[in-house]
Amino acid sequence: MTDPAKAARRARHDAIRAQVADEETEAAEAEAAENAATLDVSLHLRISHTLDAELRRRAAAEHIPTSALVRKLLAQAVRQHDACGLTAADVEEIARRVTREELHRSA
């Protein structure tokens, strides 16, 4: 291999290493900022190997630590659950059903 070809290959490899180092630094900074902004409470749970693999795959795809992904998913789930309150139509339907059941029992 000629010297210019070696130099070009070495430059490409150096650029790739620099990019990976930048991504790792960004991920570490993001996790540090997240940890500094939140209370650190340990939560231990048992999950299946399949779920673990899926979480690790998704975290890698997002270039974030698995623990940061799990915190993000848990926060989203809690926010969505809180936003899923009953509508007026839901309450009215429940009231109609209860009334029908009470009338049926007393008949």
XYZ file of all heavy atoms in Angstrom:
820
model
N 0.847 -1.163 0.000
C 0.000 0.000 0.000
C 0.899 1.233 0.000
O 1.909 1.288 0.685
C -0.897 -0.020 1.251
C -1.950 1.032 1.241
S -3.055 0.938 2.670
C -3.961 -0.540 2.350
N 0.540 2.203 -0.778
C 1.366 3.405 -0.900
C 1.198 4.297 0.318
O 0.215 4.198 1.058
C 0.986 4.195 -2.168
O -0.349 4.653 -2.008
C 1.106 3.331 -3.402
N 2.160 5.179 0.509
C 2.106 6.088 1.653
C 0.869 6.979 1.631
O 0.243 7.163 2.680
C 3.376 6.937 1.713
C 4.571 6.133 2.202
O 4.351 5.084 2.841
O 5.696 6.575 1.975
N 0.445 7.555 0.479
C -0.776 8.365 0.477
C -2.015 7.535 0.838
O -2.916 8.015 1.541
C -0.883 8.901 -0.944
C 0.512 8.863 -1.484
C 1.153 7.682 -0.793
N -2.070 6.282 0.411
C -3.208 5.416 0.738
C -3.225 5.121 2.234
O -4.289 5.119 2.873
C -3.154 4.123 -0.067
N -2.051 4.854 2.816
C -1.966 4.613 4.261
C -2.381 5.852 5.035
O -3.102 5.772 6.028
C -0.544 4.204 4.660
C -0.180 2.787 4.335
C 1.213 2.483 4.846
C 1.634 1.081 4.497
N 2.989 0.783 4.998
N -1.921 6.977 4.574
C -2.249 8.231 5.257
C -3.752 8.510 5.187
O -4.357 8.950 6.171
C -1.464 9.387 4.642
N -4.362 8.229 4.049
C -5.808 8.447 3.896
C -6.582 7.505 4.800
O -7.559 7.900 5.448
C -6.213 8.260 2.436
N -6.164 6.245 4.827
C -6.827 5.271 5.692
C -6.667 5.656 7.155
O -7.628 5.609 7.940
C -6.273 3.870 5.446
C -7.080 2.800 6.189
C -6.577 1.425 5.938
N -5.310 1.292 6.660
C -4.444 0.316 6.506
N -4.674 -0.634 5.630
N -3.335 0.263 7.185
N -5.465 6.071 7.551
C -5.211 6.489 8.922
C -6.077 7.708 9.272
O -6.653 7.781 10.351
C -3.726 6.817 9.116
C -3.384 7.132 10.566
C -1.882 7.239 10.823
N -1.250 5.949 10.612
C -0.265 5.727 9.722
N 0.194 6.695 8.972
N 0.258 4.519 9.592
N -6.222 8.614 8.345
C -7.043 9.807 8.578
C -8.511 9.427 8.761
O -9.200 9.976 9.626
C -6.878 10.797 7.429
N -8.987 8.482 7.925
C -10.378 8.008 8.070
C -10.587 7.366 9.428
O -11.582 7.620 10.111
C -10.741 7.021 6.957
C -11.092 7.647 5.639
C -11.752 6.666 4.676
N -11.108 5.368 4.567
C -10.076 5.084 3.745
N -9.598 6.010 2.954
N -9.556 3.881 3.717
N -9.657 6.521 9.849
C -9.759 5.848 11.144
C -9.732 6.855 12.288
O -10.499 6.731 13.255
C -8.644 4.826 11.312
C -8.815 3.615 10.435
N -8.016 2.511 10.549
C -9.670 3.342 9.431
C -8.373 1.608 9.648
N -9.378 2.104 8.959
N -8.852 7.852 12.176
C -8.793 8.890 13.211
C -10.107 9.662 13.274
O -10.583 9.997 14.369
C -7.628 9.850 12.942
C -6.272 9.200 13.179
O -6.216 8.130 13.839
O -5.265 9.758 12.691
N -10.706 9.942 12.132
C -11.983 10.663 12.106
C -13.094 9.830 12.749
O -13.924 10.352 13.499
C -12.354 11.033 10.667
N -13.092 8.529 12.464
C -14.094 7.634 13.057
C -13.907 7.572 14.561
O -14.876 7.670 15.324
C -14.019 6.231 12.419
C -14.494 6.280 10.966
C -14.842 5.226 13.228
C -14.203 5.021 10.178
N -12.673 7.439 15.027
C -12.403 7.402 16.467
C -12.848 8.704 17.137
O -13.426 8.684 18.225
C -10.922 7.163 16.726
C -10.491 5.729 16.559
C -9.057 5.526 17.077
N -8.490 4.384 16.424
C -7.661 4.414 15.372
N -7.261 5.554 14.863
N -7.214 3.307 14.838
N -12.589 9.813 16.497
C -12.990 11.104 17.050
C -14.506 11.219 17.128
O -15.051 11.724 18.116
C -12.415 12.239 16.212
N -15.196 10.728 16.110
C -16.656 10.783 16.105
C -17.231 9.916 17.234
O -18.139 10.335 17.951
C -17.213 10.320 14.760
C -18.723 10.381 14.683
C -19.256 9.894 13.341
O -18.507 9.469 12.475
N -20.555 9.953 13.184
N -16.710 8.716 17.395
C -17.170 7.824 18.463
C -16.894 8.455 19.823
O -17.752 8.439 20.715
C -16.500 6.436 18.342
C -16.743 5.597 19.586
C -17.003 5.717 17.099
N -15.729 9.043 19.991
C -15.397 9.687 21.263
C -16.344 10.848 21.544
O -16.799 11.029 22.681
C -13.949 10.176 21.244
N -16.679 11.632 20.513
C -17.630 12.739 20.685
C -19.001 12.234 21.101
O -19.646 12.798 21.988
C -17.758 13.557 19.391
C -16.535 14.412 19.105
O -15.720 14.613 20.025
O -16.407 14.878 17.950
N -19.472 11.152 20.462
C -20.783 10.589 20.796
C -20.799 10.056 22.225
O -21.776 10.254 22.955
C -21.162 9.486 19.808
C -21.488 10.005 18.425
C -21.700 8.907 17.404
O -21.543 7.708 17.742
O -22.019 9.240 16.252
N -19.728 9.398 22.628
C -19.657 8.879 23.997
C -19.620 10.020 25.008
O -20.255 9.948 26.063
C -18.433 7.974 24.157
C -18.575 6.649 23.440
C -17.327 5.787 23.527
O -16.291 6.262 24.075
O -17.377 4.650 23.049
N -18.919 11.079 24.683
C -18.859 12.240 25.571
C -20.232 12.886 25.696
O -20.668 13.236 26.801
C -17.834 13.265 25.041
O -16.555 12.645 25.002
C -17.776 14.500 25.913
N -20.932 13.048 24.568
C -22.277 13.632 24.593
C -23.229 12.792 25.439
O -24.022 13.326 26.222
C -22.829 13.770 23.173
C -22.185 14.866 22.365
C -22.662 14.884 20.932
O -23.679 14.223 20.612
O -22.016 15.557 20.115
N -23.167 11.464 25.275
C -24.044 10.573 26.043
C -23.729 10.678 27.538
O -24.639 10.743 28.372
C -23.898 9.134 25.565
N -22.457 10.720 27.886
C -22.067 10.830 29.293
C -22.497 12.181 29.871
O -22.986 12.255 31.002
C -20.558 10.651 29.433
N -22.355 13.241 29.082
C -22.780 14.568 29.547
C -24.290 14.631 29.725
O -24.786 15.219 30.686
C -22.320 15.647 28.564
C -20.826 15.897 28.594
C -20.363 16.816 27.486
O -21.175 17.193 26.609
O -19.171 17.176 27.495
N -25.026 14.004 28.794
C -26.487 13.993 28.900
C -26.929 13.247 30.143
O -27.822 13.697 30.868
C -27.105 13.356 27.651
N -26.312 12.116 30.420
C -26.681 11.357 31.614
C -26.292 12.120 32.879
O -27.051 12.156 33.848
C -26.046 9.970 31.616
C -26.512 9.141 32.789
C -26.094 7.690 32.734
O -25.130 7.350 32.018
O -26.737 6.888 33.427
N -25.144 12.770 32.870
C -24.723 13.533 34.041
C -25.682 14.690 34.297
O -26.059 14.955 35.446
C -23.301 14.056 33.842
N -26.099 15.370 33.230
C -27.052 16.477 33.383
C -28.386 15.969 33.904
O -29.010 16.592 34.769
C -27.233 17.188 32.050
N -28.821 14.835 33.376
C -30.087 14.250 33.827
C -29.999 13.860 35.297
O -30.913 14.116 36.080
C -30.435 13.042 32.967
C -31.760 12.409 33.327
C -32.081 11.200 32.461
O -31.503 11.056 31.374
O -32.923 10.408 32.898
N -28.889 13.266 35.681
C -28.709 12.863 37.079
C -28.650 14.072 38.002
O -29.179 14.030 39.108
C -27.443 12.018 37.244
C -27.602 10.624 36.683
O -28.704 10.136 36.504
N -26.484 9.983 36.375
N -28.032 15.139 37.558
C -27.923 16.336 38.377
C -29.281 17.018 38.539
O -29.542 17.666 39.547
C -26.924 17.306 37.757
N -30.157 16.862 37.549
C -31.449 17.533 37.571
C -32.528 16.727 38.278
O -33.631 17.217 38.482
C -31.888 17.833 36.147
N -32.249 15.505 38.640
C -33.263 14.654 39.249
C -32.742 14.053 40.545
O -31.552 14.057 40.816
C -33.651 13.492 38.311
O -32.480 12.704 38.062
C -34.216 13.998 37.008
N -33.672 13.566 41.326
C -33.284 12.825 42.514
C -32.780 11.462 42.093
O -33.342 10.828 41.201
C -34.484 12.647 43.442
C -35.058 13.915 44.050
C -36.311 13.586 44.838
C -34.031 14.587 44.948
N -31.740 11.027 42.686
C -31.219 9.704 42.379
C -31.759 8.713 43.387
O -31.312 8.649 44.516
C -29.695 9.679 42.404
C -29.087 10.328 41.179
O -29.755 10.340 40.143
O -27.955 10.802 41.264
N -32.767 7.973 42.973
C -33.351 6.932 43.794
C -33.174 5.628 43.043
O -33.596 5.504 41.901
C -34.858 7.191 44.041
C -35.476 6.055 44.827
C -35.046 8.519 44.752
N -32.526 4.694 43.677
C -32.318 3.407 43.021
C -33.619 2.634 42.944
O -34.399 2.614 43.893
C -31.294 2.570 43.792
O -30.040 3.191 43.717
N -33.840 2.002 41.818
C -35.004 1.148 41.623
C -34.488 -0.161 41.034
O -33.852 -0.167 39.988
C -35.994 1.805 40.648
C -37.192 0.968 40.244
C -38.094 0.725 41.455
C -37.979 1.679 39.156
N -34.741 -1.222 41.732
C -34.272 -2.531 41.274
C -35.484 -3.361 40.878
O -36.466 -3.437 41.615
C -33.492 -3.240 42.388
C -32.315 -2.453 42.836
N -31.101 -2.506 42.204
C -32.172 -1.555 43.833
C -30.262 -1.687 42.798
N -30.890 -1.097 43.797
N -35.430 -3.952 39.700
C -36.517 -4.814 39.277
C -35.966 -5.922 38.405
O -34.880 -5.820 37.861
C -37.587 -4.011 38.524
C -37.144 -3.361 37.212
C -38.316 -3.343 36.261
C -36.703 -1.951 37.491
N -36.750 -6.960 38.301
C -36.360 -8.102 37.479
C -37.158 -8.038 36.184
O -38.363 -7.813 36.208
C -36.628 -9.399 38.226
C -35.801 -9.520 39.502
C -36.109 -10.786 40.255
N -35.800 -11.978 39.513
C -34.602 -12.563 39.463
N -33.609 -12.044 40.120
N -34.416 -13.654 38.760
N -36.466 -8.200 35.076
C -37.114 -8.186 33.763
C -36.629 -9.391 32.974
O -35.618 -10.006 33.307
C -36.825 -6.875 32.989
C -35.321 -6.686 32.768
C -37.418 -5.674 33.707
C -34.967 -5.509 31.895
N -37.351 -9.705 31.924
C -36.969 -10.855 31.103
C -35.734 -10.525 30.267
O -35.406 -9.353 30.036
C -38.124 -11.234 30.171
O -38.302 -10.219 29.191
N -35.065 -11.564 29.815
C -33.907 -11.374 28.947
C -34.318 -10.678 27.655
O -33.574 -9.852 27.128
C -33.251 -12.728 28.635
C -32.572 -13.332 29.818
N -31.403 -12.849 30.345
C -32.924 -14.391 30.593
C -31.045 -13.580 31.374
N -31.958 -14.529 31.561
N -35.509 -10.992 27.177
C -36.003 -10.384 25.937
C -36.189 -8.884 26.104
O -35.771 -8.099 25.250
C -37.338 -11.036 25.513
O -37.142 -12.449 25.424
C -37.830 -10.501 24.193
N -36.813 -8.473 27.206
C -37.011 -7.053 27.457
C -35.669 -6.354 27.639
O -35.456 -5.258 27.125
C -37.898 -6.835 28.685
C -38.160 -5.385 29.079
C -38.789 -4.593 27.933
C -39.050 -5.327 30.316
N -34.759 -6.982 28.355
C -33.429 -6.412 28.546
C -32.737 -6.181 27.205
O -32.184 -5.110 26.959
C -32.588 -7.340 29.428
C -31.180 -6.809 29.626
O -31.024 -5.705 30.180
O -30.227 -7.506 29.197
N -32.804 -7.173 26.331
C -32.163 -7.045 25.019
C -32.804 -5.925 24.212
O -32.102 -5.144 23.542
C -32.257 -8.374 24.260
N -34.131 -5.820 24.263
C -34.828 -4.771 23.520
C -34.458 -3.387 24.059
O -34.219 -2.461 23.290
C -36.342 -4.979 23.595
C -37.157 -3.900 22.926
C -36.944 -3.782 21.428
O -36.429 -4.727 20.811
O -37.291 -2.729 20.871
N -34.406 -3.249 25.374
C -34.033 -1.963 25.961
C -32.603 -1.582 25.583
O -32.332 -0.431 25.228
C -34.184 -2.002 27.479
C -35.615 -2.047 28.009
C -35.615 -2.353 29.503
C -36.344 -0.748 27.712
N -31.715 -2.539 25.622
C -30.320 -2.266 25.255
C -30.202 -1.897 23.778
O -29.441 -1.000 23.411
C -29.434 -3.462 25.585
C -29.258 -3.657 27.072
C -28.396 -4.879 27.396
N -28.380 -5.151 28.800
C -27.604 -4.530 29.684
N -26.771 -3.603 29.270
N -27.661 -4.836 30.963
N -30.988 -2.569 22.924
C -30.958 -2.265 21.496
C -31.457 -0.846 21.241
O -30.840 -0.087 20.510
C -31.814 -3.275 20.719
C -31.732 -3.104 19.194
C -32.827 -3.869 18.472
N -34.176 -3.434 18.815
C -34.730 -2.276 18.414
N -34.054 -1.430 17.691
N -35.966 -1.970 18.758
N -32.571 -0.500 21.880
C -33.135 0.847 21.692
C -32.212 1.922 22.234
O -32.054 2.983 21.629
C -34.505 0.948 22.354
C -35.569 0.194 21.558
C -36.929 0.292 22.170
N -37.407 1.673 22.241
C -38.585 2.017 22.733
N -39.408 1.087 23.181
N -38.946 3.271 22.777
N -31.592 1.658 23.378
C -30.660 2.632 23.951
C -29.467 2.842 23.021
O -29.035 3.976 22.795
C -30.199 2.164 25.332
N -28.962 1.758 22.467
C -27.833 1.880 21.538
C -28.241 2.668 20.293
O -27.476 3.503 19.796
C -27.324 0.490 21.146
N -29.452 2.416 19.805
C -29.929 3.139 18.624
C -30.075 4.633 18.897
O -29.883 5.458 18.003
C -31.261 2.557 18.158
N -30.411 4.978 20.142
C -30.568 6.385 20.518
C -29.269 6.983 21.054
O -29.227 8.149 21.429
C -31.683 6.535 21.557
C -33.057 6.217 21.019
C -34.164 6.509 22.020
O -33.991 7.422 22.862
O -35.204 5.836 21.949
N -28.218 6.165 21.134
C -26.913 6.599 21.629
C -27.004 7.168 23.046
O -26.433 8.216 23.348
C -26.279 7.630 20.679
C -26.158 7.145 19.284
N -25.263 6.167 18.920
C -26.843 7.479 18.164
C -25.394 5.933 17.631
N -26.346 6.710 17.150
N -27.763 6.480 23.904
C -27.874 6.871 25.304
C -27.714 5.624 26.165
O -27.936 4.515 25.686
C -29.223 7.569 25.626
C -30.417 6.651 25.333
C -29.338 8.892 24.890
C -31.763 7.227 25.759
N -27.346 5.795 27.416
C -27.247 4.635 28.306
C -28.624 3.989 28.514
O -29.651 4.675 28.461
C -26.734 5.234 29.621
C -26.100 6.527 29.242
C -26.876 7.019 28.054
N -28.627 2.700 28.751
C -29.884 1.978 28.950
C -30.665 2.560 30.126
O -31.881 2.714 30.051
C -29.601 0.480 29.193
O -28.824 -0.020 28.099
C -30.885 -0.318 29.280
N -29.982 2.924 31.200
C -30.681 3.485 32.356
C -31.374 4.797 32.002
O -32.484 5.068 32.478
C -29.719 3.684 33.529
O -28.662 4.551 33.153
N -30.758 5.606 31.154
C -31.387 6.870 30.732
C -32.635 6.588 29.894
O -33.658 7.264 30.041
C -30.394 7.714 29.942
N -32.569 5.572 29.034
C -33.738 5.200 28.230
C -34.874 4.726 29.127
O -36.026 5.130 28.950
C -33.380 4.106 27.218
C -34.564 3.546 26.433
C -35.130 4.603 25.490
C -34.177 2.294 25.680
N -34.565 3.892 30.111
C -35.606 3.373 31.008
C -36.248 4.517 31.782
O -37.473 4.572 31.912
C -35.032 2.293 31.951
C -36.032 1.916 33.035
C -34.619 1.062 31.145
N -35.442 5.462 32.278
C -36.010 6.618 32.981
C -36.929 7.418 32.057
O -38.022 7.829 32.453
C -34.898 7.524 33.519
C -34.257 7.004 34.786
C -33.352 8.039 35.424
N -32.240 8.422 34.562
C -31.091 7.766 34.508
N -30.908 6.686 35.248
N -30.127 8.176 33.724
N -36.493 7.610 30.819
C -37.302 8.355 29.847
C -38.621 7.638 29.579
O -39.688 8.258 29.583
C -36.517 8.537 28.545
C -37.242 9.356 27.499
C -36.371 9.575 26.276
C -36.611 8.450 25.298
N -35.996 8.680 23.987
N -38.573 6.328 29.374
C -39.788 5.560 29.091
C -40.738 5.557 30.292
O -41.965 5.679 30.122
C -39.432 4.125 28.691
C -38.712 3.974 27.357
C -38.249 2.529 27.158
C -39.583 4.419 26.203
N -40.199 5.431 31.494
C -41.039 5.457 32.686
C -41.716 6.823 32.852
O -42.908 6.897 33.162
C -40.221 5.128 33.935
C -39.865 3.653 34.131
C -38.866 3.501 35.284
C -41.101 2.831 34.387
N -40.965 7.886 32.638
C -41.539 9.234 32.759
C -42.639 9.448 31.726
O -43.701 10.006 32.035
C -40.443 10.286 32.601
N -42.419 8.982 30.491
C -43.447 9.109 29.451
C -44.696 8.332 29.827
O -45.820 8.820 29.663
C -42.920 8.590 28.105
C -41.938 9.500 27.433
C -41.333 8.852 26.198
O -41.496 7.660 25.936
N -40.605 9.643 25.430
N -44.519 7.135 30.340
C -45.666 6.305 30.710
C -46.467 6.961 31.825
O -47.702 6.960 31.790
C -45.191 4.911 31.139
N -45.788 7.541 32.797
C -46.491 8.203 33.899
C -47.251 9.420 33.386
O -48.414 9.635 33.744
C -45.503 8.588 35.025
C -46.148 9.516 36.038
C -44.979 7.329 35.701
N -46.611 10.227 32.530
C -47.289 11.405 31.973
C -48.503 11.004 31.151
O -49.560 11.617 31.246
C -46.335 12.218 31.114
C -45.409 13.099 31.912
C -44.683 14.111 31.044
N -43.952 13.515 29.945
C -42.702 13.067 30.009
N -42.049 13.142 31.148
N -42.112 12.547 28.966
N -48.373 9.952 30.335
C -49.506 9.499 29.513
C -50.631 8.980 30.393
O -51.799 9.234 30.131
C -49.059 8.422 28.532
C -48.236 8.955 27.398
C -47.696 7.854 26.500
O -47.862 6.674 26.776
N -47.038 8.244 25.421
N -50.283 8.261 31.445
C -51.301 7.721 32.355
C -52.048 8.865 33.034
O -53.267 8.823 33.158
C -50.676 6.795 33.393
C -51.659 6.252 34.374
N -52.573 5.276 34.034
C -51.899 6.564 35.675
C -53.326 5.008 35.087
N -52.937 5.770 36.090
N -51.312 9.882 33.470
C -51.942 11.034 34.119
C -52.858 11.787 33.160
O -53.861 12.352 33.573
C -50.879 11.991 34.668
C -50.156 11.420 35.873
O -50.644 10.414 36.451
O -49.096 11.963 36.244
N -52.517 11.790 31.878
C -53.302 12.524 30.887
C -54.518 11.733 30.411
O -55.340 12.251 29.673
C -52.423 12.879 29.693
N -54.643 10.482 30.840
C -55.727 9.611 30.368
C -56.920 9.639 31.301
O -57.554 8.615 31.544
C -55.227 8.179 30.200
S -54.061 7.978 28.875
N -57.278 10.794 31.816
C -58.421 10.892 32.711
C -59.709 10.567 31.979
O -59.775 10.532 30.758
N -60.759 10.325 32.751
C -62.059 10.008 32.169
C -62.684 11.264 31.573
O -62.612 12.346 32.155
C -62.995 9.441 33.234
C -62.626 8.085 33.813
C -63.572 7.740 34.952
C -62.668 7.013 32.746
N -63.307 11.096 30.421
C -64.050 12.192 29.809
C -65.462 12.211 30.390
O -65.895 11.257 31.039
C -64.129 12.027 28.281
O -64.899 10.849 28.005
C -62.743 11.905 27.659
N -66.182 13.285 30.101
C -67.575 13.381 30.555
C -68.394 12.240 29.963
O -69.245 11.649 30.642
C -68.161 14.733 30.159
N -68.135 11.911 28.719
C -68.865 10.817 28.067
C -68.576 9.490 28.764
O -69.480 8.658 28.932
C -68.497 10.738 26.591
N -67.334 9.279 29.186
C -66.985 8.050 29.910
C -67.762 7.957 31.220
O -68.311 6.905 31.557
C -65.482 8.006 30.214
C -64.621 7.876 28.976
O -65.107 7.343 27.958
O -63.451 8.307 29.041
N -67.802 9.059 31.954
C -68.505 9.081 33.242
C -69.994 8.833 33.031
O -70.629 8.067 33.775
C -68.261 10.420 33.970
C -69.128 10.529 35.227
C -66.777 10.558 34.325
N -70.572 9.467 32.010
C -72.003 9.275 31.728
C -72.299 7.820 31.373
O -73.297 7.254 31.830
C -72.445 10.202 30.601
C -72.489 11.656 31.015
C -72.724 12.591 29.838
O -72.885 12.113 28.695
O -72.747 13.810 30.075
N -71.433 7.204 30.592
C -71.634 5.799 30.218
C -71.540 4.899 31.443
O -72.329 3.976 31.609
C -70.615 5.364 29.166
C -70.689 3.896 28.788
C -72.068 3.468 28.288
O -72.753 4.266 27.622
O -72.460 2.318 28.568
N -70.605 5.157 32.328
C -70.487 4.371 33.556
C -71.747 4.529 34.400
O -72.295 3.549 34.917
C -69.227 4.786 34.351
C -67.973 4.375 33.581
C -69.236 4.178 35.746
C -66.689 4.972 34.126
N -72.240 5.765 34.523
C -73.457 6.014 35.312
C -74.648 5.278 34.709
O -75.459 4.681 35.443
C -73.734 7.518 35.385
N -74.797 5.298 33.394
C -75.902 4.577 32.742
C -75.798 3.079 32.991
O -76.790 2.405 33.288
C -75.916 4.859 31.227
C -76.526 6.200 30.864
C -76.782 6.312 29.362
N -75.551 6.328 28.593
C -74.849 7.440 28.305
N -75.272 8.611 28.718
N -73.754 7.361 27.607
N -74.604 2.536 32.924
C -74.401 1.110 33.132
C -74.734 0.724 34.564
O -75.400 -0.287 34.812
C -72.965 0.719 32.782
C -72.734 -0.768 32.809
C -71.365 -1.140 32.351
N -70.410 -0.140 32.810
C -69.182 0.002 32.332
N -68.738 -0.782 31.405
N -68.384 0.938 32.810
N -74.295 1.525 35.524
C -74.594 1.244 36.930
C -76.095 1.287 37.159
O -76.667 0.420 37.841
C -73.857 2.243 37.857
C -74.364 2.159 39.283
C -72.358 1.994 37.803
N -76.767 2.292 36.588
C -78.221 2.415 36.741
C -78.922 1.203 36.155
O -79.835 0.634 36.770
C -78.724 3.710 36.070
O -78.040 4.817 36.672
C -80.214 3.883 36.231
N -78.515 0.777 34.953
C -79.119 -0.405 34.322
C -78.928 -1.641 35.187
O -79.839 -2.440 35.378
C -78.510 -0.647 32.934
C -79.063 0.231 31.844
C -78.654 -0.252 30.449
N -77.208 -0.443 30.309
C -76.366 0.468 29.816
N -76.816 1.646 29.437
N -75.088 0.210 29.698
N -77.714 -1.822 35.748
C -77.444 -2.990 36.584
C -78.278 -2.960 37.861
O -78.796 -3.992 38.294
C -75.957 -3.065 36.909
C -75.108 -3.458 35.723
C -73.630 -3.420 36.016
O -73.224 -3.199 37.180
O -72.842 -3.624 35.058
N -78.434 -1.779 38.451
C -79.240 -1.663 39.665
C -80.713 -1.958 39.368
O -81.396 -2.627 40.147
C -79.075 -0.283 40.282
C -77.752 -0.101 40.963
C -77.582 1.296 41.550
O -78.481 2.134 41.402
O -76.524 1.526 42.151
N -81.210 -1.434 38.243
C -82.607 -1.702 37.854
C -82.819 -3.179 37.568
O -83.841 -3.746 37.926
C -82.992 -0.856 36.637
C -83.145 0.639 36.883
C -83.351 1.369 35.564
C -84.283 0.909 37.854
N -81.864 -3.807 36.945
C -81.962 -5.232 36.613
C -81.973 -6.078 37.890
O -82.701 -7.062 37.990
C -80.795 -5.623 35.704
C -80.798 -7.062 35.304
N -81.890 -7.683 34.774
C -79.819 -8.006 35.350
C -81.603 -8.946 34.522
N -80.338 -9.158 34.872
N -81.146 -5.715 38.886
C -81.079 -6.451 40.147
C -82.382 -6.309 40.945
O -82.797 -7.242 41.600
C -79.930 -5.942 41.008
C -78.624 -6.588 40.650
C -77.581 -6.227 41.650
N -76.414 -5.803 40.881
C -75.551 -4.876 41.209
N -75.703 -4.237 42.347
N -74.549 -4.594 40.463
N -82.978 -5.119 40.898
C -84.182 -4.896 41.701
C -85.435 -5.458 41.021
O -86.483 -5.535 41.645
C -84.363 -3.415 41.984
O -84.553 -2.702 40.783
N -85.333 -5.844 39.772
C -86.524 -6.349 39.056
C -86.782 -7.805 39.329
O -86.144 -8.545 39.916
C -86.337 -6.178 37.562
